[in-house]
Amino acid sequence: MPNPGNFHGSRLEFLLGEKPAYELAAAAGQGAEAISNIQRQYFKRYPIELPLNVEPTAEFLANVDDDAADVDIQEPDVDKLIPEEYREAVERMEARRAIVNFRKDQIQRWFKYQKAKTAHKNNDTKSKEGLPNPYEILTQKLIGQEHT
């Protein structure tokens, strides 16, 4: 059974909607910038505090403003908290940061996979130098087809 992926519902719809813009940016050598912008927009729509199995309301999604400044998460202030509260606040912040980085990596991998899948679907069998792909030649020999 194939892997169903990490993104479902409106999350998947959002990523699919951003796919053409990413493909154009990647073709122009701006893929990293496009991914960064998509990640920023994703987190505005789907905050880390919202579990993956919970959909945001249509009203919440309609009110997302991509041009609004991102909310800065304040570091805990060691002078305002007792040591135990400070330690707990730092642990929560580190856990949140780890989840954000993990989700960013998931988004980046999703787009790279989609790009590779599109290239495969388009039967992109030529290497960057215009030479035949050696794997394509091997596959054709193994299945008994003649290389063209």
Side-chain angles (χ1 to χ4, degrees), residues 1 4 10 19 21 36 44-45 47 60 66 68 71 74 83 92 104 106 116-118 132 137:
M1 178 176 217
S10 65
K19 188 177 168 185
S36 179
K44 285 182 178 268
R45 287 162 178 75
F60 176 82
D66 288 326
V71 177
Q74 296 295 320
R92 282 192 305 273
K104 282 182 173 183
Q106 284 180 317
K117 191 167 105 174
T118 300
I137 295 169

Side-chain angles (χ1 to χ4, degrees), residues 48-65:
I48 288 300
E49 296 76 25
L50 186 68
L52 279 176
N53 61 350
V54 176
E55 286 288 322
T57 64
E59 180 181 345
F60 176 82
L61 291 175
N63 289 326
V64 170
D65 181 7

Side-chain angles (χ1 to χ4, degrees), residues 65-85:
D65 181 7
D66 288 326
D67 296 327
D70 295 336
V71 177
D72 287 331
I73 305 297
Q74 296 295 320
E75 296 280 335
D77 189 352
V78 70
D79 297 329
K80 294 182 180 179
L81 301 171
I82 62 173
E84 181 68 21
E85 290 175 341

